């Protein structure tokens, strides 16, 4: 069993919809939680970085962490075609452990 | 530079050939990581440097893989006697310290034929 589980999708939504992504993890030592966005043939780009349980909002993006359930989520409001990408959750003790990534397509 | 720079962007190697992949981290970043990303998968950890010291190489898949960062800045990942299963994107990331936000380069796509 992998340390970080993420449904690879793919996920297709119409423009303006809310995109909901999530990951579960097994290692209680993880303290830092991240979401990366990766466009085709590009490196991962950091979207959200959180340390503790709770919510963090940045524009149209909201990250949630529930350490008691070992569950993290990313919500994208008012999704745009430019949000079409692969979204990777990652957790950090000092090195990153990634989920498999969820491929999202936002249809115009 | 403004970001992490990797070269070459693409590399095609014949099976059995040695390759060297370069990473220029963000200036001043102490921590440097190499990851391997297979098609359709998330990146997998290979190795970690703090300055010039290689503190963790537990993710290197075999003794054909070797990484160095001799002056605590530029790093090179070397793969000897490449095999088809080495085909992947190799990503380099740097951060101010180990648990800080990691910034990735665009990766080197290695294809072994």
């Amino acid at each position: 069993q992998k340390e970080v589980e993420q449904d690879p999708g793919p996920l297709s939504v119409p423009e303006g919809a809310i995109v909901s992504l999530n990951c579960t993890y097994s290692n209680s030592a993880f303290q830092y939680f991240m979401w990366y966005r990766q466009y085709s043939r590009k490196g991962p780009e950091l979207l959200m970085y959180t340390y503790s349980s709770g919510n963090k909002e940045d524009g149209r993006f909201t990250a949630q962490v529930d350490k008691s359930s070992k569950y993290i989520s990313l919500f994208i409001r008012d999704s745009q075609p430019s949000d079409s990408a692969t979204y990777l959750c990652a957790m950090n003790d000092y090195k990153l452990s990634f989920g498999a990534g969820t491929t999202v397509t936002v249809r115009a | 530079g403004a970001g992490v720079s990797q070269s070459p962007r693409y590399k095609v190697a014949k099976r059995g050939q040695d390759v060297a992949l370069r990473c220029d981290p963000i200036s001043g970043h102490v921590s440097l990581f190499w990851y391997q990303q297979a098609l359709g998968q998330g990146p997998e950890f290979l190795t970690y440097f703090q300055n010039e010291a290689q503190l963790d190489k537990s993710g290197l898949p075999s003794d054909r893989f070797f990484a160095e960062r001799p002056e605590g800045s530029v790093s090179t990942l070397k793969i000897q006697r490449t095999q088809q299963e080495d085909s992947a994107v190799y990503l380099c990331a740097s951060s101010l310290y180990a648990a800080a936000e990691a910034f990735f380069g665009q990766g080197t796509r290695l294809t072994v034929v």
Side-chain angles (χ1 to χ4, degrees):
Chain A
Q1 185 185 4
K2 294 192 70 174
E3 279 192 311
V4 181
E5 297 284 351
Q6 181 178 9
D7 186 341
L11 192 61
S12 179
V13 300
E15 184 175 357
I18 295 175
V19 176
S20 173
L21 305 167
N22 57 76
C23 292
T24 58
Y25 64 96
S26 56
N27 187 346
S28 299
F30 289 139
Q31 295 293 321
Y32 303 91
F33 304 90
M34 283 138 281
W35 286 94
Y36 283 85
R37 178 175 62 195
Q38 187 173 29
Y39 291 114
S40 180
R41 298 187 179 272
K42 300 289 187 182
E45 168 196 13
L46 183 66
L47 274 179
M48 301 287 282
Y49 179 89
T50 56
Y51 172 66
S52 59
S53 285
N55 292 0
K56 181 176 181 179
E57 192 171 315
D58 184 0
R60 297 184 295 111
F61 298 89
T62 300
Q64 290 184 348
V65 175
D66 182 346
K67 293 173 81 171
S68 63
S69 301
K70 299 189 180 68
Y71 187 89
I72 71 169
S73 301
L74 178 72
F75 300 95
I76 309 173
R77 290 185 301 280
D78 188 26
S79 58
Q80 304 295 311
S82 59
D83 295 328
S84 298
T86 296
Y87 291 81
L88 296 153
C89 63
M91 287 129 206
N92 193 341
D93 40 18
Y94 64 93
K95 61 182 184 283
L96 290 169
S97 296
F98 283 89
T102 301
T103 299
V104 174
T105 301
V106 181
R107 308 186 305 272
Chain B
V4 179
S5 178
Q6 292 187 246
S7 61
R9 287 291 316 278
Y10 303 92
K11 176 70 179 177
V12 178
K14 291 185 178 179
R15 193 159 56 95
Q17 187 179 354
D18 296 350
V19 298
L21 313 180
R22 177 186 169 103
C23 173
D24 279 272
I26 294 172
S27 179
H29 278 194
V30 167
S31 297
L32 185 146
F33 303 82
W34 285 97
Y35 292 85
Q36 181 190 58
Q37 187 173 24
L39 189 65
Q41 299 296 315
E44 295 281 345
F45 170 78
L46 292 177
T47 188
Y48 162 58
F49 289 87
Q50 182 174 297
N51 294 309
E52 69 278 5
Q54 188 175 20
L55 299 185
D56 187 345
K57 53 181 182 179
S58 63
L60 296 177
S62 78
D63 59 8
R64 296 185 295 104
F65 287 69
F66 172 77
E68 61 183 4
R69 193 186 185 197
E71 297 178 357
S73 178
V74 171
S75 178
T76 304
L77 177 67
K78 297 178 180 178
I79 309 173
Q80 297 177 326
R81 305 182 303 281
T82 51
Q83 304 294 315
Q84 277 197 312
E85 61 263 27
D86 300 334
S87 296
V89 175
Y90 291 86
L91 294 163
C92 176
S94 72
S95 59
L96 277 173
Y97 54 92
E101 300 172 34
F103 296 88
F104 282 81
Q106 298 217 55
T108 294
R109 181 177 298 272
L110 173 65
T111 303
V112 182
V113 297

